[in-house]
Amino acid sequence: MKTVESPPREALAVPPVQAPPPAGDRRRRRLADQARAYGFLLGGLVCFALFSWYPAIRAVMIAFQKYTPGSDPEWVGTANFTRVWHDPEFTAAWRNTLTFTLLALLIGFAVPFVMALVLNELRHAKAFFRVVVYLPVMIPPVVSALLWKWFYDPGAGLANEALRFLHLPTSNWSNGADTALVSLVIVATWANMGGTVLIYLAALQSIPGELYEAAELDGANLLQRVRHVTVPQTRFVILMLMLLQIIATMQVFTEPFVITGGGPENATVTVLYLIYKYAFLYNDFGGACALSVMLLVLLGAFSAIYLRLTRSGEGDPA
């Protein structure tokens, strides 16, 4: 019969508790960690200061100056704002920008949400369809705009060719004053909805499945489940993406610049495109900066009001 040997006395001994480092060492270590953290933060602050904050402050100053590159600026007060305000293109630019934003909300805000709902219900090939939806985002914006410009060509463009094949009336698309702005909204929606769809999809997948099961047991159909479960649970994401989309669409530039050049008949001149014309076509940097300040003030005021109105519901996802 084998006997079980007991472990040596040394193995059963409790190792001595190490004394904590002196307070001075802890303080030096904490200061070193804070110094490294502030060092990393400093790099980001320098980049923001040089490429974001300084240009913004400089633009505000130029808005009150008569400025041409290579010459000394001359303070002119609010003369730039007055001149820009009485420009015939000023009203058209703001009208087109606000109309574009409204259409983008009606078309470009609902489509990504519906697309995310469809992708969330798929059981097969989810990864493939996510790549397909996100693919337009990976195309450079100018390339995307040039593709749509060919697509909208009233003569041999693919859009009218498809309508002819279906024996439907053709359209002038981006070449018509009545259809140009809507055509640009379609381009912007197609080019930018991929990222929004993935954000919505991530929010949908974070909703507990028990909520849908309870809704089904109560007899809720698909639309009722979306209304009473999906929308309340993703409300915060919806509100934030709405704010970001309004800010982005108010600054639309690539599509009117590449596809329509602001035409026809100033039907697609936007505020940002007018800023470009003042700066690089009219060589009037004071007027361009005055328009930029107007846009900045409007977007800042809208963002503050919007966040104020939606702040009360942030902590209650239901």
Side-chain angles (χ1 to χ4, degrees):
M1 183 175 180
K2 294 183 178 180
T3 59
V4 179
E5 297 181 358
S6 60
R9 188 181 300 274
E10 293 77 4
L12 297 176
V14 178
V17 178
Q18 295 182 355
D25 293 343
R26 293 199 304 270
R27 189 179 301 109
R28 283 192 295 270
R29 189 178 304 169
R30 185 166 60 251
L31 290 176
D33 292 340
Q34 291 179 356
R36 281 193 293 268
Y38 281 116
F40 286 114
L41 179 62
L42 181 62
L45 291 176
V46 170
C47 290
F48 274 108
L50 290 178
F51 301 107
S52 181
W53 299 333
Y54 172 75
I57 296 173
R58 189 77 180 95
V60 174
M61 294 175 60
I62 295 176
F64 298 92
Q65 297 175 341
K66 181 180 180 181
Y67 175 77
T68 303
S71 62
D72 295 331
E74 177 186 351
W75 291 96
V76 293
T78 59
N80 291 327
F81 293 90
T82 303
R83 186 177 66 260
V84 168
W85 182 273
H86 292 92
D87 187 347
E89 288 186 302
F90 178 85
T91 303
W94 281 102
R95 182 180 63 248
N96 295 335
T97 300
L98 295 175
T99 304
F100 185 94
T101 302
L102 178 62
L103 293 175
L105 286 178
L106 295 176
I107 300 175
F109 188 73
V111 171
F113 188 73
V114 174
M115 189 73 68
L117 290 175
V118 173
L119 290 177
N120 193 49
E121 296 297 325
L122 292 179
R123 294 294 178 265
H124 304 285
K126 282 187 175 182
F128 170 76
F129 286 107
R130 289 178 188 176
V131 172
V132 171
V133 170
Y134 192 74
L135 186 61
V137 181
M138 296 184 285
I139 301 176
V142 174
V143 175
S144 176
L146 289 174
L147 289 174
W148 279 91
K149 185 177 182 179
W150 168 79
F151 183 83
Y152 282 147
D153 187 274
L158 186 59
N160 279 345
E161 288 294 332
L163 292 176
R164 294 189 189 98
F165 178 80
L166 297 174
H167 302 287
L168 295 175
T170 59
S171 173
N172 287 325
W173 299 106
S174 59
N175 292 327
D178 297 332
T179 57
L181 205 59
V182 178
S183 301
L184 297 188
V185 171
I186 295 174
V187 176
T189 301
W190 176 85
N192 301 306
M193 75 174 183
T196 306
V197 169
L198 293 185
I199 295 174
Y200 278 138
L201 190 59
L204 292 175
Q205 293 178 347
S206 66
I207 300 176
E210 295 82 2
L211 297 178
Y212 289 109
E213 295 174 1
E216 290 179 0
L217 292 176
D218 290 338
N221 55 31
L222 176 59
L223 293 179
Q224 290 173 334
R225 291 198 299 271
V226 171
R227 178 184 176 184
H228 297 289
V229 178
T230 304
V231 173
Q233 291 294 318
T234 59
R235 181 176 58 186
F236 177 71
V237 175
I238 292 174
L239 293 176
M240 288 307 301
L241 287 179
M242 180 182 292
L243 174 61
L244 294 176
Q245 181 170 347
I246 291 174
I247 294 175
T249 51
M250 287 286 289
Q251 301 178 70
V252 60
F253 172 76
T254 303
E255 289 81 9
F257 176 75
V258 176
I259 298 178
T260 62
E265 301 174 7
N266 287 336
T268 57
V269 171
T270 60
V271 174
L272 224 62
Y273 186 73
L274 187 58
I275 292 173
Y276 163 81
K277 292 178 68 174
Y278 266 95
F280 300 105
L281 297 184
Y282 308 153
N283 202 30
D284 183 1
F285 286 86
C289 290
L291 264 175
S292 301
V293 171
M294 291 180 184
L295 183 61
L296 174 64
V297 171
L298 177 65
L299 291 179
F302 171 79
S303 300
I305 296 172
Y306 184 88
L307 293 176
R308 179 73 175 178
L309 294 176
T310 57
R311 182 179 299 173
S312 59
E314 291 180 1
D316 183 13

